[in-house]
Amino acid sequence: AKDNGRGCFAYFSEDLTIAVRERIALEVRLRKAIKQQELRVFYQPQMDIASGRIVGAEALVRWQDPVEGLIPPCRFIPIAEETNLIVEIGEWVLRETCRQGRQWLNMGLPPLTLAVNVSPHQFRRSDINALVATVLRDTGFPAGQLELEITESGLMENQDKTTNILNSLHAQGVHLAIDDFGTGYSSLTYLKHFPLDVLKIDKSFIDDIPHNKDDMEIAATIVAMGHILGFKVLAEGVETLEQLAFLQEQSCDLYQGYLKSHPLPADDFVALLQANDSS
Ligand code: C2E
Ligand code: CA
Ligand code: CA
Ligand code: CA
């Protein structure tokens, strides 16, 4: 296994036997981790670009292993996807985020949009509509404050079925975002058939702004066409003030990134929110 520098490991073919054994071991541990409640949700703020205000957060799962410490999702989400454990994890993240969101409302915090990632497997192999309805009812979190993030590739898999599922979710009042936009095969014009609210420009188009003129043109085009199609556009992975200034010039609506904050535990997120509001 080779460390790719982000605490994640990429396997090469000569390591295959080890890789398979490690994966099985990890799967067993992951099942146990779910039972023993070792998963956590971190929250990364999403800002309105024009006002700078925090208007929402993306919920991102972490695994708090008693021995290894905090394990990032890239170490276990891919395995969870292969083993279908992602359905269970996804349900837990949705429920925990809505529970937390309801608690924040009860504490008197301003209403925030909370965005939860939905894996393509949850689309294909589970009834996401029934789950969302149940969780919203159980937690009392308002549907209009919940956003589901679906990757572009996830949307393109079975377009008729996807359209039905998205229409039903939208009818519940839930907001829908397309994640990692620009990395898949969809054309912007096709997207108008889906009831989407937000386009998230993939971080890879933001990274090299202002040095890469192609990326700047692509990002600007996504913002402009997203607006023509009636979507709000959010830029992910914003790390510098130059990137933010460029996006502001393009009238991009929202941003998210290390420039403002890493994903934070719930308490730290609330502290940031309160500091931000009083400044
Ligand atoms: P994603 O949905 O594209 O989430 C954004 C990722 O980019 C997060 O990584 C976030 O920490 C990172 N990020 C945000 N701003 C910046 C920035 O300015 N610079 C850099 N370098 N990175 C930034 P994270 O939390 O490690 O999550 C990685 C991926 O794991 C997510 O990518 C998503 O695909 C998956 N994931 C995380 N939580 C869940 C979950 O609950 N369910 C599912 N199905 N997938 C999840
Ligand atoms: Ca996401
Ligand atoms: Ca993304
Ligand atoms: Ca991603």
Side-chain angles (χ1 to χ4, degrees), residues 6 44 58-62 72-74 77 81 86 89-90 93 116-120 122 149 151 179-180 200 202-203 207 236-239 256-259 261-263:
R6 290 175 303 168
Q44 186 177 37
E58 178 175 3
L60 293 155
V61 71
R62 302 284 181 268
C74 57
I77 291 287
E81 298 263 9
I86 192 66
I89 294 175
V93 172
V116 174
N117 291 284
V118 176
S119 145
Q122 280 175 279
E149 294 193 2
T151 59
D179 203 358
D180 300 346
K200 296 190 78 177
D202 191 67
K203 179 185 171 303
D207 284 342
E236 325 190 72
V238 176
E239 295 183 351
Q256 182 182 342
Y258 293 172
L259 175 63
S261 172
H262 282 70

Side-chain angles (χ1 to χ4, degrees), residues 230-250:
F231 307 136
K232 291 217 177 221
V233 183
L234 182 149
E236 325 190 72
V238 176
E239 295 183 351
T240 71
L241 285 168
E242 285 110 311
Q243 291 167 349
L244 182 59
F246 172 77
L247 292 160
Q248 215 155 10
E249 275 165 37
Q250 305 310 315

Side-chain angles (χ1 to χ4, degrees), residues 46 94 113-118 123 128-129 132 136 143-152 155 161-181 191-200 226 229-234 254:
Q46 297 181 330
L94 178 68
T113 299
L114 297 183
V116 174
N117 291 284
V118 176
F123 255 75
I128 184 79
N129 266 292
V132 167
L136 291 175
Q145 278 177 249
L146 178 65
E147 190 162 279
L148 299 178
E149 294 193 2
I150 305 137
T151 59
E152 192 181 1
L155 282 178
K161 193 176 167 208
T162 300
T163 307
N164 288 335
I165 297 173
L166 295 182
N167 283 334
S168 312
L169 286 169
H170 214 240
Q172 289 195 52
V174 171
H175 291 179
L176 300 169
I178 183 164
D179 203 358
D180 300 346
F181 187 77
L191 293 180
K192 70 181 175 201
H193 298 296
F194 294 138
L196 299 167
D197 303 283
V198 176
L199 274 192
K200 296 190 78 177
L229 294 171
F231 307 136
K232 291 217 177 221
V233 183
L234 182 149
L254 302 152

